[in-house]
Amino acid sequence: MHMFRITHLIFSLTALLIAVSLILIGLAPVDETLGVSQKIFYLHVPCAWAAALAFLVNFIGSLGYLIKGGLKWDRIASSSAEIGVVFGAIALVTGSIWARFAWGVWWTWDVRLTTTLILWLAYLGYILVRCMAQDEKRRTFSAVIGIAAFADVPLVFLSIRWWRSIHPVVITRSGMNLSPRMKLAFFISLAAVTMLYLCLMIVRVRLERMKDIVDTMRER
């Protein structure tokens, strides 16, 4: 019952944050250069962050499974990878839409876009391995892929600083190039998407646990 109340509180808080973020995004000032299209930023960046967070959790879960074993770590890793792929797809799509308005093209082989696409494809491969391999091999192979694929995450983050890019620079060393109202909308959106990731993880891990129980009962 206590766990149910905590979960209910998390879900309620997430719904509230999403509602507030939508209102703040609507009320945020329109960017002078990009116009209304800049508001994609409030979805694009939080989804990219959520994908990176999901892949970090997958990395930790994969390491935990290879070192300690146990289905708990595998559930965490696989669930987070699936959610990360979804958030990564949203980040890529919204990034392409933003690029259309900012650069006049849907896609360009910009360093950040390219490394992000490679990262997304790597974790898509992770999911495919889990679908194709069997039993213990499936968990071991996917854990190795999850650990190897995570090496691209810091590369995506540092690509803007290491290479010249036409990617819009919103966050610099001196701070964020946003007005106070824009910052508020951004951080609330960031919190909302992060909480949404947590909610999806709770649901997905529980489903994986139920699936493992059913599989165990079938084997008996």
Side-chain angles (χ1 to χ4, degrees):
M1 182 62 69
H2 179 66
M3 198 65 190
F4 174 79
R5 289 179 179 177
I6 294 175
T7 303
H8 180 74
L9 179 62
I10 292 173
F11 277 67
S12 300
L13 179 59
T14 302
L16 177 62
L17 284 171
I18 291 174
V20 172
S21 67
L22 291 175
I23 294 172
L24 291 175
I25 290 170
L27 296 176
V30 176
D31 185 79
E32 295 180 1
T33 304
L34 297 176
V36 179
S37 66
Q38 182 270 342
K39 291 183 182 289
I40 298 173
F41 162 79
Y42 301 111
L43 176 63
H44 172 68
V45 176
C47 284
W49 151 254
L53 176 62
F55 297 147
L56 172 61
V57 174
N58 170 268
F59 174 76
I60 295 171
S62 298
L63 272 179
Y65 179 76
L66 291 180
I67 295 173
K68 297 183 178 181
L71 295 179
K72 176 184 71 174
W73 293 104
D74 181 67
R75 292 186 198 115
I76 293 173
S78 61
S79 299
S80 196
E82 291 179 8
I83 298 169
V85 166
V86 173
F87 278 118
I90 296 173
L92 285 169
V93 171
T94 53
S96 295
I97 296 172
W98 197 3
R100 178 65 179 85
F101 287 98
W103 309 323
V105 294
W106 290 103
W107 181 268
T108 179
W109 293 104
D110 174 75
V111 176
R112 174 164 287 191
L113 292 179
T114 303
T115 52
T116 302
L117 178 61
I118 292 172
L119 179 66
W120 184 77
L121 290 173
Y123 280 95
L124 188 63
Y126 173 99
I127 294 174
L128 290 175
V129 167
R130 291 192 68 86
C131 293
M132 297 172 63
Q134 297 292 327
D135 302 327
E136 193 67 27
K137 290 182 179 180
R138 171 178 62 115
R139 300 186 179 96
T140 303
F141 289 164
S142 60
V144 173
I145 293 173
I147 293 171
F150 184 75
D152 193 31
V153 173
L155 184 61
V156 172
F157 177 75
L158 295 171
S159 59
I160 282 290
R161 299 187 179 185
W162 285 355
W163 293 284
R164 281 191 173 183
S165 172
I166 58 175
H167 198 280
V169 178
V170 177
I171 303 175
T172 63
R173 292 181 180 179
S174 59
M176 300 184 70
N177 298 325
L178 299 172
S179 69
R181 287 165 60 191
M182 287 180 172
K183 286 182 181 179
L184 178 61
F186 169 72
F187 283 114
I188 294 298
S189 297
L190 189 66
V193 174
T194 303
M195 290 298 294
L196 178 60
Y197 162 75
L198 179 59
C199 291
L200 293 173
M201 274 294 290
I202 291 172
V203 174
R204 194 67 188 86
V205 170
R206 286 181 178 178
L207 287 174
E208 280 295 310
R209 187 185 299 118
M210 292 172 64
K211 181 177 177 296
D212 289 336
I213 293 173
V214 172
D215 289 343
T216 301
M217 292 176 65
R218 285 178 177 175
E219 291 175 359
R220 293 177 180 176

